[in-house]
Amino acid sequence: MNEQIVILDFGSQYTQVIARRIRECNVYSTIVRYNTPAAEIAKLNPRGIILSGGPSSVYAPDAPLPDKAIFKLGLPILGVCYGVQLLAHYLGGKVEKGPKREYGKGTLTVIDKACALFKGLPAQLQVWNSHGDKITRLPKDFVVVGTTENSDYAAIEHAQRKLFGIQFHPEVVHTPKGKEIVSNFVHGICGCSKAWTMRSYLDQSVAEIRAQVGKEKVILGLSGGVDSSVAAALLHRAIGDQLTCIFVNNGLLRAREAEAVQEVFGRNFKIKLQYEDASALFLKKLKKVTDPEKKRKVIGKTFIDVFQSATKRAGKAKFLAQGTLYPDVIESVPIDGNPASMIKSHHNVGGLPKNMKFALVEPLKCLFKDEVRQLGLELGLPKEIVFRQPFPGPGLAVRILGEVSESKCAILRNADAIVVEEMKASGLYYKTWQTFAVLLPVRSVGVQGDERTYDFTIALRAVESQDGMTADWVRLPYDLLEKISLRITNEVKGVNRVVFDLTSKPPGTIEWE
């Protein structure tokens, strides 16, 4: 990338959000580990550096600290929260534990309107704080440019060296003018243009794929989801018939999923598509399996076995393509070097067998989810694929609590189709992160057609989220809920009750398993 901002990650939960905000300013951003040597950063030829927030204290013995040489690169630097404390700590100031922690909303008073970071902004700004330490002495030649209720050094600068620090988080939505602050830094201070667009990325990616692949063959596991679909379209744009997509029907797909994928990619895009119907095998392997994590592992292993056999039938290929996204890449190496607490195993194809001798092609590894959708539109993919709601890799298996069977898949598939159909008819489908049905291992008494029934319960789940990390339940209109419930109980044999899940994440997860 010709112009970019490098972000040093010190473990903040908001680091990815900083990167997204920069890209929203049409500037490319790269996240690197906090201790990346200054010489390596210099090779990236960035226009500026951002020091992220983080949970540590700069004066702690095990605090994550950057290479001091970054301050000799002559680049503009912005320290955010922990990052501003690092500026003070490294350059001769002092940071101490604050007598009062500062979390949540606050008011920043800009006391130097000439500061380039706050150009065009009002004298008072709502900001979002999340810190317990505070700067108690500024480094030499730094000046205060902003204060909050509990911090006399909430915003500081060294104008000559273009070093800036802010104690709050400009990247989160709770700092309403935060995007303007970020823009002032990347455009006004670092001098970046607005050259980062999906069209420029598309052209560059096509060239990079052709350079990497040459005349070799590439295999891609196509699921029909957004990521693999966009990766397939991008690779096909770059190398045409050198690409073969393998679509595995695991028997856990949504209604008409297999037909839709073959229609869009095989007949419309003319992509070489190898269809593998392994539904009977997957259902056999899942028999009597009830533990959620074991289900995922059984499905993952079976998929790898089926996919491995399919690649042999596809012909000799040197490369395997995957729809890996940027968050997957930067989360693969935790800040402390230790794996994070496992909530559930990843649903992508991880850990391929050693005897599968492929080189990897990951054409989306620099993009966030919303950018992948933009790229899909640039490539001409239909809206139904580009903006489809997330669907778990293990499919309906994680939405059937308890043992999975063909009959239960049919019940859930039919109920889910009604949910999707009614959400689209209401105009809410593309405005909601996820809406789906869950089949509960709960039977209850009902009355249908003057007859007593003893059938299953469907739970309806609707959540709103930005990135899937947190989520809130969606207040769907009562008349829509009523229509969905009536249709499911009337049209889906085996269901006589529908309930609505009112749980946010946390404490719950988006999926039930």
Side-chain angles (χ1 to χ4, degrees):
M1 305 297 169
N2 294 329
E3 292 182 341
Q4 63 177 307
I5 301 294
V6 167
I7 304 164
L8 269 61
D9 180 18
F10 293 91
S12 170
Q13 60 182 320
Y14 302 129
T15 300
Q16 289 188 34
V17 186
I18 298 175
R20 290 168 66 98
R21 294 294 172 263
I22 294 170
R23 294 187 184 190
E24 288 169 5
C25 295
N26 296 112
V27 176
Y28 186 68
S29 57
T30 302
I31 297 173
V32 300
R33 278 180 63 85
Y34 67 91
N35 56 358
T36 301
E40 289 187 24
I41 294 174
K43 289 178 184 177
L44 297 173
N45 195 29
R47 290 294 186 91
I49 296 172
I50 291 181
L51 310 177
S52 84
S56 304
S57 294
V58 294
Y59 50 77
D62 59 348
L65 302 174
D67 181 353
K68 263 192 174 182
I70 64 171
F71 298 106
K72 297 180 181 179
L73 295 176
L75 295 169
I77 295 178
L78 172 63
V80 175
C81 198
Y82 180 84
V84 68
Q85 294 167 13
L86 272 175
L87 282 176
H89 181 70
Y90 261 30
L91 301 177
K94 191 170 185 180
V95 178
E96 298 178 282
K97 188 174 182 63
K100 185 177 180 181
R101 296 187 301 174
E102 197 169 17
Y103 291 111
K105 290 181 182 179
T107 300
L108 177 79
T109 300
V110 180
I111 61 176
D112 183 359
K113 291 186 177 181
C115 176
L117 206 57
F118 301 105
K119 182 179 179 181
L121 296 177
Q124 288 197 323
L125 303 170
Q126 177 185 311
V127 297
W128 185 260
N129 298 296
S130 180
H131 62 96
D133 295 335
K134 63 188 299 182
I135 298 171
T136 55
R137 186 180 72 237
L138 285 181
K140 185 181 177 182
D141 297 326
F142 274 79
V143 298
V144 180
V145 293
T147 63
T148 60
E149 298 92 325
N150 296 313
S151 178
D152 295 330
Y153 306 114
I156 63 175
E157 77 165 334
H158 188 310
Q160 186 178 358
R161 295 180 63 185
K162 293 187 177 180
L163 302 178
F164 301 83
I166 48 180
Q167 188 59 78
F168 58 91
H169 289 274
E171 68 274 23
V172 300
V173 294
H174 307 295
T175 301
K177 296 291 184 181
K179 187 174 179 180
E180 286 87 339
I181 295 172
V182 173
S183 177
N184 281 340
F185 179 71
V186 300
H187 296 307
I189 295 169
C190 298
C192 294
S193 63
K194 297 182 178 181
W196 165 251
T197 64
M198 267 309 115
R199 170 52 59 181
S200 66
Y201 180 84
L202 172 56
D203 295 340
Q204 179 179 327
S205 293
V206 166
E208 289 177 351
I209 291 167
R210 288 172 179 169
Q212 180 185 3
V213 170
K215 296 186 180 299
E216 299 290 344
K217 302 288 186 182
V218 179
I219 287 175
L220 169 71
L222 180 62
S223 70
V226 179
D227 304 339
S228 68
S229 296
V230 174
L234 176 58
L235 284 160
H236 189 252
R237 173 76 63 92
I239 59 174
D241 284 346
Q242 290 172 244
L243 171 69
T244 297
C245 291
I246 297 175
F247 178 78
V248 176
N249 184 347
N250 59 10
L252 307 168
L253 305 176
R254 285 180 165 182
R256 294 200 71 257
E257 185 115 33
E259 295 86 350
V261 169
Q262 292 178 83
E263 178 70 30
V264 170
F265 293 96
R267 288 185 275 277
N268 292 354
F269 272 79
K270 308 299 181 185
I271 292 177
K272 288 168 67 177
L273 183 63
Q274 182 175 318
Y275 176 69
E276 300 282 338
D277 187 355
S279 52
L281 176 63
F282 277 87
L283 291 171
K284 180 182 177 182
K285 295 282 187 180
L286 286 168
K287 195 170 184 180
K288 296 184 180 179
V289 178
T290 58
D291 179 75
E293 192 60 27
K294 190 173 180 182
K295 279 185 193 176
R296 290 175 179 273
K297 289 179 179 177
V298 167
I299 293 168
K301 184 181 184 305
T302 306
F303 178 86
I304 289 174
D305 291 342
V306 171
F307 190 77
Q308 186 174 14
S309 298
T311 59
K312 294 175 182 176
R313 290 191 291 276
K316 190 175 181 180
K318 180 178 180 180
F319 291 94
L320 174 69
Q322 291 185 330
T324 310
L325 303 192
Y326 198 37
D328 299 325
V329 174
I330 58 183
E331 286 177 355
S332 64
V333 183
I335 190 73
D336 58 2
N338 296 317
S341 174
M342 185 179 70
I343 297 174
K344 61 185 179 184
S345 56
H346 201 274
H347 62 253
N348 286 338
V349 183
L352 290 168
K354 291 181 180 179
N355 60 346
M356 289 185 75
K357 304 292 185 181
F358 288 112
L360 281 181
V361 181
E362 298 175 302
L364 309 180
K365 68 180 180 180
C366 293
L367 299 182
F368 289 103
K369 191 76 168 189
D370 56 329
E371 295 169 333
V372 172
R373 296 188 194 279
Q374 294 174 37
L375 181 59
L377 294 177
E378 286 282 351
L379 288 162
L381 283 171
K383 178 182 178 181
E384 289 74 18
I385 287 180
V386 173
F387 291 104
R388 72 168 295 183
Q389 294 179 357
F391 186 62
L396 299 179
V398 295
R399 294 178 180 174
I400 297 173
L401 275 61
E403 185 178 1
V404 178
S405 66
E406 187 173 1
S407 61
K408 288 181 180 178
C409 284
I411 290 172
L412 183 55
R413 190 175 289 119
N414 292 334
D416 184 75
I418 291 171
V419 174
V420 172
E421 185 178 322
E422 291 300 333
M423 286 295 293
K424 287 183 176 179
S426 71
L428 294 175
Y429 179 84
Y430 296 112
K431 298 177 182 178
T432 308
W433 176 265
Q434 259 176 296
T435 317
F436 56 90
V438 179
L439 181 61
L440 304 184
V442 176
R443 288 190 170 189
S444 61
V445 175
V447 178
Q448 292 174 300
D450 295 326
E451 292 183 2
R452 180 184 180 277
T453 60
Y454 190 62
D455 285 332
F456 287 109
T457 301
I458 286 288
L460 177 62
R461 182 80 161 132
V463 297
E464 186 50 67
S465 178
Q466 294 297 316
D467 50 20
M469 300 298 290
T470 61
D472 191 18
W473 64 278
V474 177
R475 281 69 173 165
L476 293 179
Y478 287 161
D479 58 345
L480 176 59
L481 289 173
E482 180 183 37
K483 191 170 186 181
I484 291 173
S485 178
L486 283 172
R487 282 198 60 192
I488 289 175
T489 52
N490 283 330
E491 299 175 28
V492 181
K493 187 174 178 57
V495 177
N496 66 0
R497 193 177 299 271
V498 176
V499 297
F500 188 46
D501 184 352
L502 308 182
T503 314
S504 297
K505 177 186 178 182
T509 53
I510 293 178
E511 298 289 345
W512 277 49
E513 287 197 346

